Amino acid sequence: MDTRKIRIFDTTLRDGEQSPGASLFPEEKIIIARQLERLGVDTVEPGFPAASPGDFHAVQQISRLLQNTEICGFGRAVKDDIDAAVRATADAAKRRLHLFLSSSQIHMDFQLRKSREQVLEIARSMVAYAKQHVDRIEFSPMDATRSGEDFLYEMVEAVIAEGATIINIPDTVGYALPEEYGNLFRRVRANVRGGDRVEYSAHCHNDLGLAVANSLAAVQAGASHVEVTVNGIGERAGNCSLEELAMAVETRGGAIGITTGIRSEEIYETSRLVSRLMNLSIAHNKPIVGRNAFQHEAGIHQDGLLKNRNTYEIMDPERMGIPRDMIVLGKHSGRHALKHRMEQYGIRMSEDELNRFAERFKEEADARKFVSDADLLRIWGDTSDTQAEPYSIVDFQVISNHRKIKVASVTLKDNRTGEEASFAAAGSGPVEAVVACIKQAVPMDVELKDMEIHSLSSSESAQGEAQVTVEAGGSLYRGSGIDRDILSAVAQAFLSAINQAVSHSGTGAPDSGNQAEDRTAAGGC
């Protein structure tokens, strides 16, 4: 089967930014735009230049900086919007303009308050006006999937006659089913004069959870552009997810003969960057980039994964830059997973030790939702009379108030020598101060790469869970901590990750007859 390349049009900085609370400063847009270029997107829609001076400046700067990526200026079918988009993208090496105008009867009646004839005239005249400035013109009949098809054909035919080169058929409210959406592209191409001379684009919203499926249906029906956002953000339930579409094509594209130019190794970093800068958390069960996307708790799954990853994973997370973190310990976990996790701390157990450890672990796991690394090592210590972790927290305190800098002190015990030492540090926040204290005790350079904090229930007595990823010696290590005091949970998680790094470096293996083994997979646990 011949392979056809699909062009990825990213609208994270325009439609994605319309998510409530996701507004970005211009400099943040520039940071994301540079990462999108590294990711390999073909087209970036950096914003709505007519919306605000800040958006205009961001689009202008991105147009000047991104020389390998097409820049799309977005606007309504209004002269002022077109003028702003033309000026903002003037310095782009490659550019297009994207105009939209409603085509459904409900939009014309209640939003535009115009007749069909008036709407058609606006579409014709504004595309003709835009064509005087830019050759590549994309036109979107908004709410196309709820429009009368005869009128949709008439509008598309009119804008093609005036010079539109790309026709986007948007599922603006996420209403269409995949078969319906694909057939709509086929019918437009077949029934519109000039429809075989233009390119087609798909823009799908996710109100029914069908955005990726609908986009693939459009591609199979002839669309050559797909409009997406990182993490699937956007109005209401969001847009077609870039990472989901890209990996669906990478994993199954051979079945339908398509490919993209997305560099999969940049997916995870792009996802985390957008999440951080837009302050939008990623759902745990989000495909591809969610915390649970490549984690497994069931004992049968864990056993299979430890023997061969392909038993239960159809993608390799490390190819996408996702740290290897496939085993989650809970009441469903089996002995193989427990043994594997303890070996990550340099602990090899005999059969009798493993039996005692597994029995005690099951008792703890039945009593709680999640067993943290700190809990795991405590259980090992209780069942073996051996201190597994190089360092443990004896005590810590934080002085914090509304306006002043935060000060922390932490007392750690070196379990190899039995010595205790106290460290003090200041920070703009209590977490920064506690982390700075702990880093002073470690005999190696450690960088905190990522941190997630979650509440495990909604009550006032809820426990907080912290997941911390650190980098040391070129490898990533992940630790977890759970406590009703969220600072304590963070401290436990950070120290857990550090203990793994120290153990694997050979400088902190516990002197108990257990030998650390070589670490073969980056990412820790």
Side-chain angles (χ1 to χ4, degrees):
M1 179 185 294
D2 293 335
T3 300
R4 179 167 59 105
K5 182 183 176 182
I6 302 303
R7 295 179 64 84
I8 299 299
F9 176 117
D10 186 274
T11 184
T12 301
L13 301 176
R14 198 277 299 172
D15 201 327
E17 197 193 16
Q18 292 170 202
S19 301
S23 182
L24 294 166
F25 294 114
E27 55 271 22
E28 293 173 326
K29 283 198 168 192
I30 292 169
I31 292 170
I32 292 175
R34 287 183 181 276
Q35 179 59 30
L36 291 173
E37 186 169 58
R38 284 191 289 271
L39 179 64
V41 302
D42 300 284
T43 304
V44 171
E45 193 169 57
F48 192 166
S52 72
D55 239 24
F56 180 93
H57 175 70
V59 175
Q60 187 177 59
Q61 288 298 106
I62 291 168
S63 297
R64 292 169 177 169
L65 291 171
L66 270 59
Q67 294 299 298
N68 299 315
T69 305
E70 183 183 53
I71 305 298
C72 182
F74 178 80
R76 297 165 296 179
V78 176
K79 276 192 175 183
D80 286 348
D81 283 20
I82 295 170
D83 290 342
V86 169
R87 293 197 308 274
T89 60
D91 296 327
K94 298 179 285 186
R95 68 167 167 170
R96 76 168 82 163
L97 294 189
H98 181 190
L99 309 183
F100 73 95
L101 182 63
S102 291
S103 61
S104 68
Q105 194 64 50
I106 191 169
H107 279 210
M108 288 187 286
D109 289 345
F110 294 99
Q111 186 176 32
L112 298 179
R113 299 185 183 277
K114 296 184 183 296
S115 67
R116 290 187 173 191
E117 290 73 21
Q118 290 173 308
V119 170
L120 278 176
E121 179 54 33
I122 292 170
R124 287 193 189 96
S125 61
M126 290 300 97
V127 169
Y129 179 72
K131 191 71 173 180
Q132 297 175 29
H133 303 280
V134 178
D135 183 60
R136 282 172 65 78
I137 304 294
E138 176 180 344
F139 183 82
S140 295
M142 189 161 69
D143 203 20
T145 55
R146 295 194 299 170
S147 300
E149 287 197 12
D150 288 342
F151 182 65
L152 179 64
Y153 300 157
E154 191 175 359
M155 177 180 275
V156 171
E157 192 170 283
V159 298
I160 291 174
E162 297 297 339
T165 57
I166 303 169
I167 300 299
N168 176 34
I169 304 178
D171 187 20
T172 305
V173 293
Y175 180 73
L177 299 175
E179 186 175 0
E180 294 173 339
Y181 193 58
N183 286 335
L184 182 58
F185 276 82
R186 294 184 181 94
R187 289 195 294 271
V188 168
R189 295 176 66 197
N191 290 288
V192 169
R193 282 180 294 181
D196 58 345
R197 302 197 311 266
V198 297
E199 302 170 68
Y200 288 88
S201 184
H203 180 108
C204 297
H205 281 262
N206 205 38
D207 298 70
L208 295 176
L210 296 171
V212 174
N214 282 343
S215 297
L216 290 172
V219 167
Q220 290 179 287
S224 54
H225 303 254
V226 180
E227 304 186 6
V228 299
T229 59
V230 176
N231 298 333
I233 61 174
E235 291 275 8
R236 304 182 311 280
N239 291 261
C240 176
S241 162
L242 184 154
E243 59 278 1
E244 293 177 32
L245 181 89
M247 292 312 298
V249 171
E250 182 169 314
T251 306
R252 299 304 315 279
I256 51 178
I258 61 174
T259 187
T260 73
I262 293 298
R263 301 181 185 100
S264 58
E265 66 273 14
E266 296 288 344
I267 284 177
Y268 186 66
E269 176 57 31
T270 308
S271 170
R272 304 298 293 181
L273 177 66
V274 170
S275 176
R276 287 195 304 270
L277 293 184
M278 288 190 165
N279 294 314
L280 293 176
S281 59
I282 301 169
H284 286 190
N285 65 331
K286 171 79 168 64
I288 314 301
V289 293
R291 174 175 154 185
N292 292 349
F294 295 97
Q295 289 188 338
H296 310 265
E297 184 177 332
I300 293 174
H301 286 227
Q302 292 175 345
D303 183 49
L305 284 159
L306 292 172
K307 293 172 179 173
N308 187 316
R309 180 190 61 80
N310 292 321
T311 52
Y312 289 100
E313 287 183 354
I314 60 172
M315 295 168 280
D316 182 355
E318 291 175 305
R319 284 194 60 195
M320 293 173 274
I322 301 173
R324 166 56 66 192
D325 189 26
M326 67 184 181
I327 302 298
V328 176
L329 297 180
K331 65 181 181 180
H332 303 293
S333 298
R335 290 156 48 89
H336 285 91
L338 294 174
K339 181 180 178 183
H340 172 77
R341 176 64 64 85
M342 296 307 290
E343 286 175 349
Q344 290 184 301
Y345 283 96
I347 298 169
R348 291 182 176 178
M349 291 182 277
S350 68
E351 197 66 23
D352 287 343
E353 287 175 325
L354 179 58
N355 289 337
R356 290 196 302 271
F357 180 73
E359 183 178 351
R360 178 65 184 278
F361 171 83
K362 289 290 186 180
E363 292 173 1
E364 294 253 355
D366 272 337
R368 60 184 68 205
K369 292 183 177 181
F370 181 84
V371 179
S372 71
D373 292 327
D375 293 325
L376 196 69
L377 295 176
R378 174 179 51 78
I379 294 169
W380 168 249
D382 291 344
T383 59
S384 67
D385 296 324
T386 300
Q387 193 70 42
E389 50 197 345
Y391 298 96
S392 58
I393 296 174
V394 176
D395 190 23
F396 78 90
Q397 62 177 341
V398 179
I399 300 174
S400 179
N401 58 47
H402 177 56
R403 296 183 183 275
K404 296 181 180 179
I405 197 165
K406 283 61 176 176
V407 178
S409 64
V410 177
T411 301
L412 295 181
K413 181 178 180 181
D414 186 331
N415 295 310
R416 299 159 296 178
T417 64
E419 295 179 356
E420 295 183 6
S422 296
F423 305 89
S428 57
V431 169
E432 181 182 356
V434 169
V435 166
C437 288
I438 296 174
K439 287 174 73 172
Q440 294 178 54
V442 183
M444 60 194 310
D445 291 332
V446 176
E447 181 182 356
L448 196 157
K449 300 295 291 184
D450 191 40
M451 179 170 63
E452 296 181 13
I453 298 175
H454 307 279
S455 173
L456 296 181
S457 70
S458 58
S459 68
E460 293 179 357
S461 61
Q463 288 188 314
E465 177 198 1
Q467 291 267 352
V468 170
T469 302
V470 305
E471 182 175 2
S475 295
L476 296 176
Y477 302 86
R478 181 173 292 184
S480 61
I482 298 174
D483 202 283
R484 288 178 63 178
D485 181 342
I486 193 60
L487 284 177
S488 179
V490 170
Q492 291 175 32
F494 186 60
L495 188 59
S496 172
I498 286 175
N499 278 331
Q500 292 176 60
V502 172
S503 295
H504 284 293
S505 72
T507 63
D511 187 16
S512 63
N514 299 303
Q515 298 298 317
E517 65 178 7
D518 289 340
R519 187 164 178 266
T520 57
C525 57

